[in-house]
Amino acid sequence: MLVVMKKDATAEQVAAVIRVIEELGFRAHPLPGSMRTAIGITGNQGAVDATHFETLPGVAEAIRVSKPYKLITLDLKAEKTVVRVGDATIGGDELAIIAGPCAVESREQTFAVARAVRKSGARFFRGGAFKPRTSPYAFQGLGEDGLKILAEVREEFGLKIVTEAMDEAGVDMVERYGDVLQLGARNMQNFTLLRRAGRSPLPVLLKRGLAATLEEWLLAAEYVMAEGNYNVILCERGVRTFAQHTRNTLDLAAIPEVRRLSHLPVVVDPSHGTGRNHMVTPLARAGVAVGADGLIIEVHAQPEHALCDGAQALKLEQYEQLVYEVRAISEALVSVGQAFLPVPSSV
Ligand code: PEP
Ligand code: MN
């Protein structure tokens, strides 16, 4: 159930509705919008009786939700969620660029990339300290030492740190050193981890699972939100198909569909989405063109020596060119949108 408050409802009236929801033993999720506040209800097993709310002061209507998700939907909040990370945003007017190496390998390697990322004007730096690798013998990441290097990057370059945690102890650590908590494709349905992320003060970048439907992905976001963390960024990173020319098949059609269903921002990862250096920039351009709020890009000063995902890493100068191109597309979209405003007829 969703309780929609009147436009002029007071904070006290919203608080009174929340109290009633909690007295019924449910959880209230007030999500204020620019036009009105709506309050999502979770924790109920069956239907909730609308008459509990309909007569309360300030309530416009109580709506039964028939969709499987309640909190990610545009029904709850009609305008896009803008995730704020300090003075940077994802989902706002500016295209968000998150760039950096797949893995933090050393201070020197990380700083070389961070310098280029800073120079490009991007606000976010990515880099894994905990790496979910297919082989147990592959480089697993530097762990807390890697996080310390990332914290130095933040200090030195003012970049916001996006980094993955693979388990609950990892979340504790990322909370100490990072700015955005990344949950990887392989953990998209690790429900314990999703719940823990839902109790984190950090925004969550939620990658789509390797074989996840859109509904499963959105329900994973719902897990995080149901615990009270509403700052979720969805990340399309490709799914496994029979294609052999790419590592994954980047499902760009997911972007307009997410937009149709959800207020959450969504970014595109053309690095994991293709796995191949020469495809990253074209798919990044396409991601922006279909309406992504941002991009997450793997970059390495020496991809041939990368300990992880070298085949998809952009060299520094390739990355610089990518940023130039995607900004041009993003600006063109804005000006086309403005140019297309209906012209009033003069006769
Ligand atoms: C990554 O971002 O380096 C990563 C491991 O991504 P994914 O979880 O999408 O495979
Ligand atoms: Mn990677």
Side-chain angles (χ1 to χ4, degrees), residues 195-274:
R195 287 212 154 94
R196 171 64 184 84
R199 295 190 296 274
S200 176
L202 298 186
V204 174
L205 180 99
L206 179 64
K207 292 236 174 164
R208 181 176 178 179
L210 300 171
T213 64
L214 196 72
E215 184 167 308
E216 287 162 345
W217 184 25
L218 293 173
L219 283 169
E222 188 81 18
Y223 260 91
V224 177
M225 294 185 76
E227 292 295 320
N229 187 349
Y230 307 127
N231 288 312
V232 179
I233 304 137
L234 298 164
C235 176
E236 165 59 41
R237 48 78 72 209
V239 289
R240 180 69 61 88
T241 69
F242 51 77
Q244 291 179 333
H245 59 292
T246 50
R247 180 178 180 188
N248 293 290
T249 297
L250 189 63
D251 177 15
L252 289 180
I255 309 304
E257 189 60 0
V258 165
R259 196 60 94 238
R260 190 179 72 84
L261 296 168
S262 179
H263 54 84
L264 293 176
V266 57
V267 302
V268 164
D269 175 349
S271 304
H272 296 87
T274 64

Side-chain angles (χ1 to χ4, degrees), residues 3 5-6 13 16-18 20 51-60:
V3 180
M5 302 301 292
K6 290 181 183 154
Q13 290 171 337
V17 174
I18 293 173
V20 171
T51 55
H52 287 300
F53 312 104
E54 278 164 349
T55 54
L56 293 178
V59 171

Side-chain angles (χ1 to χ4, degrees), residues 101-107 109-110 128 139 142 149 300 305-308:
C102 177
V104 176
E105 300 168 12
S106 69
R107 188 174 184 281
Q109 166 257 4
T110 307
F139 175 61
L142 297 180
I149 294 171
H300 202 289
H305 296 304
L307 296 182
C308 187

